Amino acid sequence: MISVFDLFKIGIGPSSSHTVGPMVAAGRFLEAMPADAARVRVELFGSLAWTGPGHGTDSAICLGLLGAEPSRVDPDTVPGLVAGLRARRRLACGAAFDPAVDLMFNFETLLPVHSNGMRFRALAGDGTLLLERDFYSVGGGFVVAAEQPEETAPPPVPDPFTTAAELLAICADRRLSIADVQLANECALRARTQVEAELDGIAHAMFASIARGLEADGLLPGGLKVRRRAKGIARKLAAAEHSNMLAPHEVLDWVSAFAIAVNEENAAGGRIVTAPTNGAAGIIPAVLRYARDFCPGATAARQRVFLLTAAAIGGLIKRNASISGAEVGCQGEVGSAAAMAAAGLAAALGADPRQVENAAEIAMEHHLGMTCDPVGGLVQIPCIERNAFGAQKAIFAASLALRGDGIHHVSLDQVIETMRQTGADMQSKYKETAQGGLAVNLSAC
């Protein structure tokens, strides 16, 4: 089972696959490193090499080797921690590591499993290889080792499902909602009180990232000189409200402001929730806050229904296609997040399971083919605005599904498979490399 807490992880920006994943991988290597290691060397491959500095991968490797964890590190301390390591050129365990020399970007080679590959080596004082490990950051902060050790099988869950059709059948047979099914499976791994408390913590962290983003201004780091906009948009909307001049459609401008706020925080390396990736981290928080602020009957219980339902849909997408921009393009990030948000909102507003599945299908269908072409390798252009549009599409999809009876021609399973096939056919330069699309054309202007 893919848990709600696998898909929603508290971490830092700017990228789940290029920042969070490499930090986790470096931490795992640090734990396995021999005590007599004299030097550590790290090699990045594929997408991690092409957009590494723009996505903060170099800093993430440093942080992981320093023992930092994405969910615990204070974003404000990151620059000092990395600068300190660059100056000392030595890890706390005593092994030498000079990022300028020992962190290498391989632009020519791909490791066999995934384009986001990393190779860690621990060397003895005479240069003898003591330990070598390959890791892959496969999207959403998930990390896979080239040789995974055998693990104890997790406890069985009461209602396993691998497709949307299976999920709908369980709901129909047992007269359960999608959130009920996901909750029962979660409670096979954790006590219900813990599940609910952690879900409330995820919602709180999402709302906190919106709040921080709405208060911050100035330029985002990275050299593109992108100015934060969320605070200014929110200020203008608030002024219009006070003068009774807010047009009905401007509620969606608030949704855009919420999504932009989160992704500006992400681009600045701030604290956000991977949902299901960092590049698409603004969509689900924006729609969740829309449900809280603009839809009647908002409660903590309804927020849990939203998140549990979104996780069930996200698990299907991850299992049967991908949530990784490096694998399938931005359709796997923004498209997946929009489908999850649409399903969550529909469920929170009382949709039945068929309507929820329809909402997810509509949102996913209308992101098919979206490329991942970050300008300068930064999660800024076009990524930040894409979150605003993804959030709005999620709301439209939920609304259309709620107005229907759940009967539709294209199933969610078919759309997920189409997304997988489209990603497989997509040229690699359009998958998080900054070598094609808008990244090239804007740079040439």
Side-chain angles (χ1 to χ4, degrees):
M1 188 192 81
I2 298 176
S3 169
V4 62
F5 305 113
D6 293 327
L7 291 164
F8 300 135
K9 298 186 284 288
I10 298 174
I12 61 171
S15 171
S16 53
S17 58
H18 289 59
T19 311
V20 176
M23 193 188 308
V24 170
R28 290 187 187 176
F29 183 76
L30 181 68
E31 292 176 356
M33 199 166 66
D36 58 342
R39 178 171 293 277
V40 173
R41 308 206 79 184
V42 183
E43 191 170 3
L44 304 177
F45 300 84
S47 178
L48 291 181
W50 283 107
T51 66
H55 282 84
T57 309
D58 49 349
S59 295
I61 294 292
C62 293
L63 290 170
L65 292 175
L66 288 170
E69 299 177 17
S71 62
R72 297 176 181 273
V73 66
D74 181 349
D76 293 335
T77 67
V78 166
L81 290 171
V82 174
L85 177 57
R86 292 185 187 278
R88 293 191 311 273
R89 294 175 286 183
R90 192 166 297 277
L91 303 176
C93 62
F97 179 73
D98 181 356
V101 175
D102 297 315
L103 179 57
M104 298 161 286
F105 297 83
N106 188 325
F107 302 106
E108 306 297 330
T109 306
L110 286 177
L111 294 183
V113 175
H114 192 281
S115 63
N116 286 341
M118 297 161 276
R119 177 165 291 158
F120 294 80
R121 296 184 179 96
L123 307 175
D126 61 359
T128 302
L129 180 65
L130 300 175
L131 178 66
E132 180 176 285
R133 290 278 177 87
D134 290 352
F135 294 94
Y136 300 91
S137 180
V138 297
F142 289 87
V143 173
V144 176
E147 296 181 2
Q148 291 275 34
E150 292 188 8
E151 297 179 357
T152 304
V157 296
D159 295 307
F161 57 89
T162 60
T163 67
E166 292 176 358
L167 176 58
L168 290 178
I170 293 170
C171 292
D173 290 345
R174 300 189 55 199
R175 297 186 179 182
L176 298 172
S177 70
I178 290 175
D180 290 335
V181 173
Q182 185 72 22
L183 178 60
N185 289 342
E186 297 289 347
C187 290
L189 309 178
R190 299 172 176 84
R192 178 167 180 153
T193 53
Q194 181 183 358
V195 171
E196 292 181 346
E198 292 190 21
L199 285 171
D200 292 345
I202 292 294
H204 175 77
M206 288 180 173
F207 294 146
S209 66
I210 293 174
R212 287 192 302 273
L214 292 178
E215 290 297 321
D217 50 22
L219 299 179
L220 293 172
L224 291 180
K225 298 183 179 179
V226 173
R227 187 172 297 279
R228 286 181 181 252
R229 290 181 292 167
K231 181 177 181 179
I233 294 171
R235 183 182 295 149
K236 291 177 181 178
L237 288 169
E241 282 182 339
H242 295 151
S243 61
N244 295 320
M245 293 174 60
L246 184 67
H249 74 271
E250 291 183 16
V251 167
L252 293 176
D253 290 342
W254 274 113
V255 175
S256 293
F258 299 154
I260 289 171
V262 174
N263 278 81
E264 287 177 346
E265 278 295 289
N266 177 62
R271 171 80 63 219
I272 55 94
V273 177
T274 298
T277 66
N278 284 30
I283 294 171
I284 290 172
V287 179
L288 185 62
R289 180 151 170 185
Y290 166 81
R292 188 195 76 176
D293 290 5
F294 297 104
C295 299
T299 63
R302 198 162 81 170
Q303 287 178 179
R304 295 177 202 132
V305 167
F306 185 116
L307 293 173
L308 288 164
T309 306
I313 301 303
L316 290 172
I317 297 171
K318 177 171 173 53
R319 176 183 296 275
N320 297 313
S322 177
I323 59 171
S324 168
E327 284 187 328
V328 295
C330 200
Q331 60 175 354
E333 298 204 23
V334 167
S336 297
M340 294 167 67
L345 178 61
L349 296 181
D352 65 38
R354 293 189 307 170
Q355 291 172 313
V356 169
E357 185 260 0
N358 189 19
E361 178 271 321
I362 293 170
M364 185 79 257
E365 181 179 10
H366 296 289
H367 285 90
L368 290 175
M370 181 179 285
T371 60
C372 186
D373 49 358
V375 175
L378 299 165
V379 191
Q380 297 178 15
I381 301 173
C383 316
I384 294 172
E385 285 184 353
R386 281 186 180 174
N387 277 258
F389 280 87
Q392 295 197 20
K393 283 185 179 182
I395 294 171
F396 298 153
S399 181
L400 284 172
L402 283 162
R403 299 295 181 187
D405 57 8
I407 299 174
H408 50 290
H409 290 285
V410 181
S411 72
L412 176 59
D413 288 327
Q414 290 169 330
V415 170
I416 292 173
E417 174 57 18
T418 302
M419 191 262 274
R420 186 195 67 79
Q421 294 175 4
T422 303
D425 291 340
M426 190 180 292
Q427 292 185 40
S428 61
K429 69 179 182 179
Y430 296 115
K431 294 191 279 192
E432 210 170 21
T433 63
Q435 293 180 285
L438 190 63
V440 173
N441 288 293
L442 183 59
S443 298
C445 293

